Amino acid sequence: NCELMTLCVRGIWVFSTETKSVLYSRRYQTVEKRALLTHGKKYVEIPPDDEFTPMFFSGLADATIDTPNNVLILSNSLWPVVYLLIDILCYVCIPLVQDQSNPKTPLIKSPFITGAVDLLEGLTSFFDRIDYPFKPKQLAELSTSLGRAIPFGRPTFMNVSTVSNLVQGFPASDVPSLTQRRPAWKPILYKGKQRIEFILQERIECVLYDKPKIPNRWRISGALLCKAEIEGIPEVNVTITNRLPHIPIHHFTVNSCVQNAIPSDMSRDGKFTEKKLTFIPPNDQFELCRYEVREISDIPIRGFYQMAESSPTEIKFLVQLKLNNKFNNNFAYCHLQIPFPNRGQIKACEGIPTCGTATVIVDRSCVIWDVGTKFNSRNLEVTFSATVYFEENPAVPAGLNLERRPSSLSTSSPTSSGNLNLNSQVETETLGVFEETSDPFLVGNNSFVQMRFSILGDTMSGLAIEGNQTFVSGKIQSSVEREILADNYVIWNDGGEVRSSAE
């Protein structure tokens, strides 16, 4: 996007969080000289790797809840150190910022920091192609690819296949002529069956408290993904219409391949009826634009959760979900996990949901409810009520570890007695289950449930693309999909205390 294309980086690093050592590093001296000239007396030099590595991990350990996500200020006042944690690897970048004196700047107002996060996300795709532990030959090839992707510390494009094609050289059938000008993001021309696909994807993070004095909160962001397999270098014109023009669209940014956007800027209140984009697409899938949505009162699912402790080894719970009738009753998946941290292992669970199936994950002390692909009642409400019995509760461990790992969902059905089948080895990638839930706050009636779902053919913002609003020269097949995703949709127990923070 535009933030990435205007970014300059002083250096990039990849660390192992297991060994707390540097696996790969690259510094850009041309950008470092610019940092010295730009910052003057406020210039802070990046120390050598053997000093920078422990300094970074110390700063990471000292990060608090008030520390901005993905950004650190190190002990020598080096700022901003932007990082991205993926499994056992930590990707780090130090962008060149113009104002070194204001580390408290909100991230949304600092395009250099948001661009650095985009850069690190792109960097992960390069490392995903090689196996860990990395071999010297793999790192040498990687360094060559990154030299193409980030020449002189200025990212041009982070598409792995495009960079690989550039490193390998042009095919004999596709050597550009001296008069042909190709955009940097499309150095290799596509040949084959032509088509263009769009996915309008919106994500919602939501916390429902069901408390009179604590408002429910949600945050919605969206992106228009595009994959264009088109021969030559044609211009594509697409019109994004807003079916709910009273809902403002904020922070609307476009990819650097966009040549023209009409209107060129948004009105102050973020409201518009349509927006036309003209662009020359790269060959692979990319993010054409992104945006945020506020002032939305209709969220897809409202929920109610009630859990009460009958004894230290027995609890009863009720979960009620209601789908808003303004949204499609068509799910790719809808999963709800009901964790019971700081308790013994589950001995039995008596109860049957009104829709879908449920499974107990014994070694996680967790019940998983797979609602299915539709809410099967006329009023679009589904319910799950059950009694759970536990082994004797061990001592509650101190500390907090909410690290998650992918796991799968069993499709076990309830037994004839109404007891759910116990499953201690659940292995899919469709649901992230807490590996450990030893948060000392989650005791007694203090608890929550967490939902993940995908609603097909719908958006919350009202933005849409009609098939006849995409124009490319020639007959090219086009398709448009819409999707609402929720990865972090939390419902707190009505009968317990909750954890909340100020806006």
Side-chain angles (χ1 to χ4, degrees), residues 243-277:
R243 297 173 176 175
L244 302 173
H246 62 283
I247 295 180
I249 306 296
H250 299 277
H251 305 302
F252 190 99
T253 59
V254 298
N255 191 283
S256 57
C257 72
V258 174
Q259 299 172 301
N260 195 18
I262 302 174
S264 58
D265 55 3
M266 307 289 288
S267 61
R268 288 188 177 182
D269 60 6
K271 297 177 181 179
F272 71 94
T273 54
E274 68 175 27
K275 196 166 184 77
K276 297 180 180 180
L277 304 179

Side-chain angles (χ1 to χ4, degrees), residues 217-236:
R217 293 174 182 161
W218 49 83
R219 180 171 59 190
I220 298 167
S221 59
L224 177 57
L225 308 178
C226 175
K227 184 174 183 180
E229 296 176 332
I230 304 175
E231 294 184 346
I233 314 176
E235 288 187 350
V236 178

Side-chain angles (χ1 to χ4, degrees), residues 445-495:
N445 291 335
N446 298 348
S447 61
F448 61 86
V449 297
Q450 187 170 13
M451 185 163 41
R452 296 181 69 240
F453 60 80
S454 167
I455 299 178
L456 302 176
D458 217 338
T459 60
M460 292 167 283
S461 64
L463 297 188
I465 299 174
E466 304 298 340
N468 58 5
Q469 293 176 326
T470 303
F471 301 98
V472 190
S473 57
K475 293 183 178 180
I476 297 178
Q477 181 181 356
S478 64
S479 65
V480 180
E481 297 179 8
R482 295 185 294 160
E483 181 182 28
I484 299 173
L485 293 174
D487 295 324
N488 191 21
Y489 213 93
V490 174
I491 308 170
W492 282 91
N493 179 22
D494 173 73

Side-chain angles (χ1 to χ4, degrees), residues 117-418:
V117 174
D118 287 340
L119 170 66
L120 295 179
E121 290 176 346
L123 190 62
T124 62
S125 61
F126 285 82
F127 281 85
D128 287 343
R129 293 165 68 98
I130 59 179
D131 296 326
Y132 181 80
F134 308 136
K135 297 177 181 178
K137 182 180 179 181
Q138 292 174 319
L139 290 176
E141 293 173 351
L142 181 72
S143 187
T144 301
S145 296
L146 290 179
R148 288 278 194 168
I150 318 173
F152 306 106
R154 297 195 65 130
T156 53
F157 40 84
M158 296 299 294
N159 185 279
V160 178
S161 60
T162 300
V163 173
S164 298
N165 286 333
L166 285 174
V167 172
Q168 294 169 6
F170 290 93
S173 60
D174 189 30
V175 178
S177 65
L178 295 176
T179 58
Q180 185 184 50
R181 297 184 61 183
R182 298 184 183 180
W185 57 88
K186 194 170 185 175
I188 308 295
L189 299 185
Y190 171 81
K191 290 189 179 298
K193 184 178 180 180
Q194 299 190 94
R195 61 177 181 174
I196 185 167
E197 301 173 350
F198 293 96
I199 302 176
L200 197 54
Q201 192 176 83
E202 294 186 348
R203 293 181 179 271
I204 178 170
E205 294 180 78
C206 179
V207 184
L208 302 177
Y209 295 105
D210 198 27
K211 301 287 183 183
K213 296 183 179 180
I214 306 177
N216 298 326
R217 293 174 182 161
W218 49 83
R219 180 171 59 190
I220 298 167
S221 59
L224 177 57
L225 308 178
C226 175
K227 184 174 183 180
E229 296 176 332
I230 304 175
E231 294 184 346
I233 314 176
E235 288 187 350
V236 178
N237 296 281
V238 63
T239 301
I240 304 172
T241 58
N242 191 352
R243 297 173 176 175
L244 302 173
H246 62 283
I247 295 180
I249 306 296
H250 299 277
H251 305 302
F252 190 99
T253 59
V254 298
N255 191 283
S256 57
C257 72
V258 174
Q259 299 172 301
N260 195 18
I262 302 174
S264 58
D265 55 3
M266 307 289 288
S267 61
R268 288 188 177 182
D269 60 6
K271 297 177 181 179
F272 71 94
T273 54
E274 68 175 27
K275 196 166 184 77
K276 297 180 180 180
L277 304 179
T278 301
F279 59 99
I280 298 176
N283 291 332
D284 298 288
Q285 181 170 292
F286 68 102
E287 189 178 88
L288 180 60
C289 64
R290 66 169 63 172
Y291 54 90
E292 293 181 6
V293 188
R294 304 173 188 169
E295 294 92 17
I296 281 187
S297 57
D298 293 321
I299 58 175
I301 297 176
R302 296 278 180 174
F304 173 77
Y305 175 49
Q306 192 171 63
M307 188 273 280
E309 190 178 56
S310 304
S311 73
T313 58
E314 179 184 337
I315 66 99
K316 298 179 184 293
F317 73 81
L318 169 67
V319 182
Q320 294 176 324
L321 305 176
K322 182 174 178 60
L323 176 66
N324 190 321
N325 60 12
K326 295 181 180 179
F327 294 89
N328 286 346
N329 187 13
N330 183 19
F331 293 82
Y333 57 85
C334 183
H335 303 148
L336 187 136
Q337 62 177 358
I338 311 167
F340 301 103
N342 303 321
R343 299 181 184 272
Q345 283 196 346
I346 296 177
K347 288 170 55 178
C349 181
E350 297 177 351
I352 300 176
T354 61
C355 180
T357 60
T359 303
V360 174
I361 306 180
V362 177
D363 58 349
R364 301 288 187 276
S365 292
C366 182
V367 175
I368 305 296
W369 180 13
D370 180 0
V371 179
T373 58
K374 287 185 181 293
F375 282 30
N376 60 9
S377 61
R378 288 186 178 180
N379 61 1
L380 300 178
E381 291 184 10
V382 293
T383 303
F384 183 19
S385 177
T387 301
V388 184
Y389 302 93
F390 300 88
E391 303 284 357
E392 288 295 328
N393 188 18
V396 176
L400 171 64
N401 185 351
L402 289 179
E403 182 181 356
R404 289 182 291 174
R405 74 176 184 184
S407 86
S408 152
L409 207 56
S410 165
T411 56
S412 304
S413 300
T415 62
S416 57
S417 63

